[in-house]
Amino acid sequence: MILLTGATGYIGSHTWLELLLAGYQVLGVDNFVNSSPKALTRLESLSGQKLEFIQGDVCDPAFLESVFQSHPIKGVVHFAALKAVGESSSNPLRYYENNLGGLITLLQIMRAHDCRNFVFSSSACVYGDPDESPVKEDAALRPENPYGQTKFMSEQILRDLEKSDPNWRVAYLRYFNPIGAHESGLIGEDPMGVPNNLSPLVARVASGRMEELKVYGNDWETPDGTGVRDYIHVVDLARGHVKAIDYLLSGKPSLTVNLGTGVGYSVMDVIRAYEEVIGRPIKYQVTARRPGDVALYYADPSLAEALLGWRAERSLKQMCADSWRWQSQNPMGYES
Ligand code: NAD
Ligand code: UFG
């Protein structure tokens, strides 16, 4: 059985479904700090299975102890974390406490139960503002905000743990920019409060929930002057986790890989792709650059292909079409 922490969140819910489709038995846990229990009902109807889920906090050792005592967990995919970059700068202690505290507690309980296969949700933000793109896994690591620091420090903790005991097998998955939703329109990204990321904001403007999009600068050193990122469809990303679990459970050694498409798209490319999907213009206004943003980065995903046999398949247009299906069928997210 595979334990998913943060299982009802955006990437967790899509990964849960893909693991079930691949034949894995899955137990999900989440404290709903940034997700809705309604995702569970949607996942049950999509998978046609009764889900195994327990509500709880990964910072709570007694909770995790009871989970491991009552289930034969062979591997863990650890999504549970807080992820708002801006809030991590205004309230860093909350981020260090939750993201590092949760990780350490989980690893201690895993060790006590002799479970040492671990998939970690890392992020391209560990690279900060990379010197060159495509970014390879051996690029310098210099995270630029407390959230990014928690991912960098988590990687360090795991590497030290591996050094202390070679029985640990860890997949460090560095995600680029996940967007899109399951093609059914039943599960998707449902951020609490006002979103900060490009894709949910474009979706809100498209649906009329927001007046216009702010484009944060068109004077960057990029082909059209707007920021360039490596957007990856969340279902492709979810399948990367299935490959990582297959890989670890087959006894292969730890690995660190980028999960991206290898292609950079600008903010204007995303707006245009979305316009094509909805058949109308997206209203936007170019404003000043957002503090902390960088011009451009995209992944070199070739190591993930070589080691995991995984490659992202879905196009930017498909990401926008699936994002729009989710948004238009669920204008208020899971509360619709
Ligand atoms: P999300 O907020 O949708 O999902 C995270 C889930 O973890 C939520 O359901 C939340 O309720 C839960 N959670 C948080 N703290 C918890 C705790 N202490 N105990 C139990 N549950 C807890 O975020 P996501 O986009 O699905 O991200 C999943 C993982 O991937 C996170 O670790 C995130 O940092 C990482 N990541 C995300 C992105 C991105 O752009 N979405 C990029 C790189 C890395
Ligand atoms: N952007 C706008 N207007 C907006 C929001 C974003 O123009 O309203 C631009 C940004 O300037 C940037 C691009 O759209 O050029 C993407 O911005 P996002 O906020 O969607 O994503 P980021 O690349 O800034 O960061 C995201 C997550 C991080 C994660 C990183 C890499 O927020 O947590 O991807 O995975 F670390």
Side-chain angles (χ1 to χ4, degrees):
M1 171 171 264
I2 304 299
L3 174 67
L4 294 195
T5 72
T8 46
Y10 175 45
I11 306 170
S13 55
H14 289 81
T15 302
W16 197 340
L17 182 64
E18 295 303 321
L19 282 167
L20 291 174
L21 291 175
Y24 282 102
Q25 259 196 299
V26 179
L27 170 67
V29 301
D30 204 298
N31 65 356
F32 300 125
V33 68
N34 196 39
S35 56
S36 163
K38 293 196 172 143
L40 295 167
T41 328
R42 302 287 185 92
L43 273 172
E44 288 201 334
S45 61
L46 260 178
S47 67
Q49 295 185 36
K50 180 103 190 77
L51 299 184
E52 292 192 66
F53 176 81
I54 313 178
Q55 182 175 349
D57 192 320
V58 295
C59 297
D60 176 354
F63 165 68
L64 286 180
E65 179 60 35
S66 73
V67 165
F68 275 82
Q69 265 183 20
S70 52
H71 296 83
I73 311 288
K74 294 274 170 293
V76 176
V77 187
H78 182 47
F79 295 109
L82 298 171
K83 63 166 183 176
V85 172
E87 192 201 14
S88 79
S89 294
S90 59
N91 193 356
L93 291 181
R94 180 167 186 238
Y95 278 67
Y96 288 117
E97 181 183 37
N98 191 68
N99 294 4
L100 298 181
L103 174 75
I104 292 168
T105 306
L106 176 58
L107 294 173
Q108 282 168 331
I109 305 286
M110 284 178 69
R111 186 177 56 184
H113 289 267
D114 204 17
C115 172
R116 290 180 172 80
N117 294 307
F118 195 73
V119 178
F120 179 63
S121 290
S122 190
S123 166
C125 67
V126 296
Y127 300 118
D129 187 359
D131 294 328
E132 57 180 13
S133 279
V135 187
K136 286 185 183 297
E137 289 81 357
D138 60 3
L141 303 182
R142 20 175 208 236
E144 293 187 335
N145 50 62
Y147 165 72
Q149 288 287 356
T150 70
K151 293 296 173 188
F152 171 74
M153 291 178 187
S154 296
E155 287 200 8
Q156 292 306 315
I157 290 168
L158 285 160
R159 289 186 207 283
D160 285 341
L161 185 62
E162 280 192 75
K163 273 188 218 149
S164 74
D165 175 357
N167 291 314
W168 282 91
R169 306 236 177 290
V170 182
Y172 303 81
L173 305 184
R174 294 179 179 157
Y175 315 154
F176 280 66
N177 288 51
I179 65 170
H182 189 262
E183 61 179 10
S184 63
L186 284 175
I187 55 172
E189 185 170 16
D190 184 18
M192 304 261 167
V194 183
N196 295 307
N197 298 118
L198 181 63
S199 172
L201 287 166
V202 173
R204 283 193 183 200
V205 176
S207 69
R209 218 174 139 185
M210 253 175 57
E211 171 75 18
E212 63 178 14
L213 180 79
K214 289 188 175 120
V215 173
Y216 293 137
N218 62 358
D219 55 353
W220 296 98
E221 277 187 34
T222 60
D224 69 14
T226 64
V228 168
R229 297 289 183 275
D230 186 337
Y231 297 97
I232 174 169
H233 196 294
V234 66
V235 172
D236 281 331
L237 186 66
R239 291 187 178 170
H241 293 74
V242 178
K243 294 283 190 180
I245 280 288
D246 291 346
Y247 175 97
L248 291 183
L249 294 187
S250 72
K252 295 198 177 119
S254 295
L255 84 171
T256 304
V257 290
N258 291 331
L259 295 185
T261 64
V263 181
Y265 286 108
S266 72
V267 176
M268 290 314 300
D269 290 333
V270 174
I271 294 175
R272 300 290 175 238
Y274 225 93
E275 287 178 337
E276 222 184 294
V277 165
I278 65 172
R280 332 177 241 109
I282 300 272
K283 202 171 166 205
Y284 67 87
Q285 197 190 355
V286 178
T287 67
R289 293 179 178 189
R290 182 171 64 174
D293 265 354
V294 304
L296 166 150
Y297 59 84
Y298 53 91
D300 177 342
S302 55
L303 191 60
E305 180 160 10
L307 295 178
L308 297 177
W310 170 91
R311 185 191 339 195
E313 288 168 355
R314 289 161 179 74
S315 66
L316 179 63
K317 179 129 182 246
Q318 199 170 347
M319 299 179 213
C320 294
D322 290 339
S323 157
W324 178 237
R325 190 174 305 104
W326 160 251
Q327 172 70 37
S328 49
Q329 289 179 15
N330 310 273
M332 305 305 284
Y334 287 112
E335 296 307 318
S336 302

